Amino acid sequence: MASGGLATNGATVTTEERRVRSPRPRVASEMKRPLQRAHINSAALAKAGRSKIEWAEGQMPVLLQIRSRVARTKPLKGIRLACCLHVTTETAHLMLTLNAAGAQVALCASNPLSTQDDIAASLVKDFGLSVYAIHGEDRETYYEHIQAVLAMGPHVTMDDGADLVSTIHKDPARFGRDVLGGTEETTTGVIRLKSLDAQGKLRYPVIAVNDADTKHLFDNRYGTGQSTIDGILRATNRLIAGSVFVISGYGWCGKGLAQRARGMGAHVIVTEVDPVKALEAVMDGFEVVRLAEAAPRGDIFVTVTGCSQVLTPAHFARMKDGAIVANSGHFDVEIDMPGLKRLARRCRRVRGEIDQYVLRSGRCINVLGEGRLVNLACAEGHPPGVMDMSFANQALACEYLVREGSRLQPHVYPVPPEIDREIARLKLTALGVSVDRLTPHQQQYLSSWELGT
Ligand SMILES: NC(=O)c1ccc[n+]([C@@H]2O[C@H](COP(=O)([O-])OP(=O)(O)OC[C@H]3O[C@@H](n4cnc5c(N)ncnc54)[C@H](O)[C@@H]3O)[C@@H](O)[C@H]2O)c1
């Protein structure tokens, strides 16, 4: 095992935690019991989870290097860290890094369908961390888990979608007294935070990890591009080649997805609301039309906009029989599921994560992963090779907040550019790639204005 790698702390698991739960508990009352240090599906899954965590380690060299350093220097010693992230293999490595840095970590899920129960089990049983996450938990349990994590009285919050921040801001006296700062992983979370900031209501500084170049250029583009296709394939086993693949949203995620779908032989249609992004899609060689025009042509539809009610009953009514509909945006609001249910005569689960809605017209619409992030609901989310950089940003942003947070005002801040560059440098080194350096002459040329034609 690589240095700075896995190390158990030998913490015991309570009897509560050992209780084997039904695989997809959905009724909150079934789960009503005092929340312990952890609330997971089954500690018996830990062995499988640990194998996955070990497998991912080889793909996360940047985070492992950071872990190795902070395990010696302990920059987060005494820090209580509340995390609301997708409970996946890669997140396990972030938790182990933060824990190695001296932080007391508590983790809950940032989506009810993204939790990998075996990973949650390993974090609790093998590493003694507090985890509150069960795959398929209902809405009430989801928020109980957020509150359980916040009950630690965090100094730092780490969010993917801003659910910790929004819960704290609804009851700051209860949850927010000791918070010195937070970090945010995704585009939608940053939008929510900027809205709080613009209203003058943000109570503490938050670092927008999503906006770091070494995050969105790679995670949103290559991570979402690959893992969204992965989710669709695992759920449907459909041939992509020759299909008409409609993507709503040509932002960082959408353009990564469009590239990959084209690479697999699909005819890709893009729909947009921003004329600049639409023009970029046209120049990248994609067909751009209004969604209403794409609706009767598409075989596979994916929303990835961060917006709500993108696919509506007006579109469903025009879709082909057997159309596949998925979402890869953060919240399950991009596909109008209540609207689809109103149009449908009946619905049945036809396979793993596919719900088939039979419309009154007799045509079927197949929805993947209940309209939640398809790459996490139907697959394992982004591969570790890309989360290596996203979570290196999280770890270093957290360290920066603890060091500098008291000097920051309650606003949304970018990741300091030196952190971004350091992560890119470390990743290149790990990939065995070298880059040139500017000569003194070039440096002077680039910083002067006198030289012209
Ligand atoms: N699935 C994942 O693992 C994953 C990873 C990263 C980000 N995300 C989420 O994906 C979403 C998109 O993220 P991004 O980084 O690409 O954002 P982005 O801001 O770069 O792109 C979003 C694009 O959608 C377009 N758009 C907005 N409303 C639209 C509508 N009604 N119809 C068509 N296009 C519309 C915008 O003009 C923009 O170009 C966010 O919710 C983000 O949090 C998901």
Side-chain angles (χ1 to χ4, degrees), residues 169-446:
H169 281 69
K170 283 172 190 156
D171 194 350
R174 183 168 166 210
F175 297 121
R177 273 179 304 204
D178 299 329
V179 183
L180 61 94
T183 64
E184 171 53 54
E185 172 77 6
T186 198
T187 315
T188 285
V190 173
I191 290 170
R192 297 177 84 189
L193 290 166
K194 286 188 175 161
S195 159
L196 260 178
D197 196 0
Q199 291 173 21
K201 291 182 181 162
L202 188 62
R203 298 178 62 90
Y204 55 82
V206 184
I207 311 267
V209 165
N210 178 74
D211 296 353
D213 285 344
T214 48
K215 199 281 183 180
H216 64 268
L217 284 177
F218 305 97
D219 172 315
N220 300 31
R221 184 161 43 168
Y222 300 109
T224 311
Q226 176 170 318
S227 62
T228 300
I229 297 274
D230 187 16
I232 293 168
L233 291 181
R234 290 198 208 192
T236 65
N237 197 25
R238 276 277 301 248
L239 182 68
I240 302 282
S243 63
V244 177
F245 201 112
V246 181
I247 299 168
S248 292
Y250 199 70
W252 290 109
C253 296
K255 65 185 85 170
L257 178 58
Q259 275 178 7
R260 259 118 213 98
R262 175 161 65 187
M264 295 182 78
H267 174 75
V268 177
I269 297 178
V270 169
T271 79
E272 252 296 344
V273 291
D274 179 334
V276 176
K277 299 288 177 61
L279 185 58
E280 191 183 2
V282 170
M283 297 276 174
D284 287 344
F286 297 106
E287 183 182 355
V288 178
V289 300
R290 285 170 43 244
L291 188 49
E293 286 171 50
R297 294 177 54 198
D299 298 303
I300 301 170
F301 294 81
V302 181
T303 54
V304 61
T305 67
C307 188
S308 76
Q309 300 202 342
V310 178
L311 277 173
T312 64
H315 303 119
F316 303 133
R318 303 190 66 197
M319 284 180 188
K320 287 183 199 168
D321 185 29
I324 289 170
V325 170
N327 166 52
S328 211
H330 187 78
F331 286 122
D332 60 342
V333 295
E334 304 207 14
I335 302 169
D336 180 359
M337 291 303 297
L340 178 58
K341 284 173 190 161
R342 280 196 301 276
L343 267 193
R345 237 178 13 213
R346 58 176 191 277
C347 171
R348 67 186 179 108
R349 183 147 287 205
V350 286
R351 180 186 148 105
E353 289 291 342
I354 308 179
D355 290 323
Q356 187 168 79
Y357 290 83
V358 182
L359 307 191
R360 283 191 288 273
S361 63
R363 279 181 285 184
C364 297
I365 308 277
N366 297 301
V367 177
L368 310 189
E370 300 174 20
R372 296 189 184 276
L373 300 145
V374 68
N375 59 333
L376 284 142
C378 303
E380 294 176 61
H382 295 4
V386 81
M387 294 314 292
D388 189 28
M389 291 183 282
S390 308
F391 285 163
N393 271 294
Q394 284 284 13
L396 296 184
C398 183
E399 193 181 352
Y400 170 80
L401 257 183
V402 168
R403 205 174 54 239
E404 308 285 343
S406 58
R407 283 205 280 251
L408 300 176
Q409 297 300 309
H411 293 300
V412 180
Y413 288 88
V415 171
E418 59 275 14
I419 290 184
D420 228 352
R421 276 195 299 274
E422 174 67 0
I423 291 170
R425 198 186 58 74
L426 290 172
K427 190 70 174 177
L428 283 173
T429 306
L431 292 170
V433 177
S434 310
V435 293
D436 289 322
R437 277 178 187 277
L438 290 172
T439 63
H441 171 80
Q442 289 169 329
Q443 276 179 11
Q444 199 206 340
Y445 174 78
L446 290 174

Side-chain angles (χ1 to χ4, degrees), residues 35-214:
L35 289 169
Q36 306 279 326
R37 196 169 48 74
H39 188 204
I40 57 174
N41 185 338
S42 164
L45 301 170
K47 191 161 174 251
R50 189 175 174 126
S51 301
K52 282 193 194 166
I53 293 170
E54 287 175 359
W55 171 251
E57 201 173 75
Q59 295 297 306
M60 304 190 81
V62 177
L63 195 60
L64 282 200
Q65 274 196 52
I66 293 170
R67 188 185 306 166
S68 181
R69 173 179 62 78
V70 297
R72 292 190 307 274
T73 55
K74 302 282 178 203
L76 304 184
K77 189 158 184 255
I79 294 295
R80 293 189 298 274
L81 181 49
C83 305
C84 180
L85 302 167
H86 301 300
V87 180
T88 63
T89 316
E90 298 74 27
T91 303
H93 278 289
L94 175 60
M95 294 301 104
L96 297 177
T97 303
L98 298 167
N99 195 229
Q104 182 196 336
V105 178
L107 171 68
C108 62
S110 58
N111 186 295
L113 287 188
S114 63
T115 297
Q116 295 167 7
D117 286 325
D118 49 2
I119 299 297
S122 180
L123 284 175
V124 172
K125 191 175 174 196
D126 298 329
F127 303 103
L129 300 189
S130 285
V131 181
Y132 302 87
I134 297 175
H135 184 91
E137 62 198 16
D138 62 15
R139 188 181 161 79
E140 194 181 339
T141 310
Y142 178 83
Y143 281 101
E144 278 178 8
H145 286 167
I146 285 182
Q147 297 199 1
V149 159
L150 289 177
M152 80 188 312
H155 298 114
V156 176
T157 59
M158 192 172 277
D159 254 315
D160 186 337
D163 279 348
L164 287 180
V165 169
S166 84
T167 306
I168 287 175
H169 281 69
K170 283 172 190 156
D171 194 350
R174 183 168 166 210
F175 297 121
R177 273 179 304 204
D178 299 329
V179 183
L180 61 94
T183 64
E184 171 53 54
E185 172 77 6
T186 198
T187 315
T188 285
V190 173
I191 290 170
R192 297 177 84 189
L193 290 166
K194 286 188 175 161
S195 159
L196 260 178
D197 196 0
Q199 291 173 21
K201 291 182 181 162
L202 188 62
R203 298 178 62 90
Y204 55 82
V206 184
I207 311 267
V209 165
N210 178 74
D211 296 353
D213 285 344
T214 48

Side-chain angles (χ1 to χ4, degrees), residues 28-39:
S29 56
E30 279 174 35
M31 296 194 253
K32 280 266 187 311
R33 60 198 170 91
L35 289 169
Q36 306 279 326
R37 196 169 48 74
H39 188 204

